[in-house]
């Protein structure tokens, strides 16, 4: 009684994009982003001062960092308790 199901066409291209913008990236000796200090990335002295003030006075960022530390500590406690059992 139900009509036969036919899958609709996907709204995406069939093949991968091609062209010069999609070429392989060349390996470089550039530092990996997590290893790069923000002061080395932003070299303008005024911008460094503004970022430094924002990091010092940003309560939300400070609270977020403390929440991450708390979660790591709680996870460490839980992991320690589960290894004893």
């Amino acid at each position: 009684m139900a009509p036969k199901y036919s899958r609709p066409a996907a709204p995406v291209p069939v093949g991968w994009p091609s062209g010069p913008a999609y070429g392989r990236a060349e390996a470089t000796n550039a530092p990996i982003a997590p290893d790069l200090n923000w002061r080395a990335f932003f070299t303008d002295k005024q911008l460094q001062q503004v970022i430094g003030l924002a990091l010092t006075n940003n309560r939300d960022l400070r609270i977020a960092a403390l929440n991450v530390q708390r979660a790591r500590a709680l996870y460490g406690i839980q992991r320690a308790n589960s290894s004893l059992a």
Side-chain angles (χ1 to χ4, degrees), residues 70-85:
R70 181 176 179 265
R72 285 180 177 165
L74 289 173
Y75 176 74
I77 292 168
Q78 291 294 327
R79 199 167 97 195
N81 285 341
S82 64
S83 65
L84 296 175

Side-chain angles (χ1 to χ4, degrees), residues 57-74:
N57 297 316
N58 189 341
R59 292 184 186 131
D60 292 335
L61 180 62
R62 193 175 313 140
I63 290 170
L66 290 173
N67 285 338
V68 169
Q69 286 179 349
R70 181 176 179 265
R72 285 180 177 165
L74 289 173

Side-chain angles (χ1 to χ4, degrees), residues 20-52:
Y22 297 100
R24 292 186 149 243
E26 297 291 327
T28 64
N29 293 333
I32 300 172
D35 298 336
L36 187 62
N37 183 356
W38 69 267
R39 289 188 187 271
F41 187 79
F42 298 105
T43 56
D44 182 56
K45 296 296 181 193
Q46 285 184 314
L47 184 57
Q48 286 180 352
Q49 185 179 7
V50 170
I51 292 172

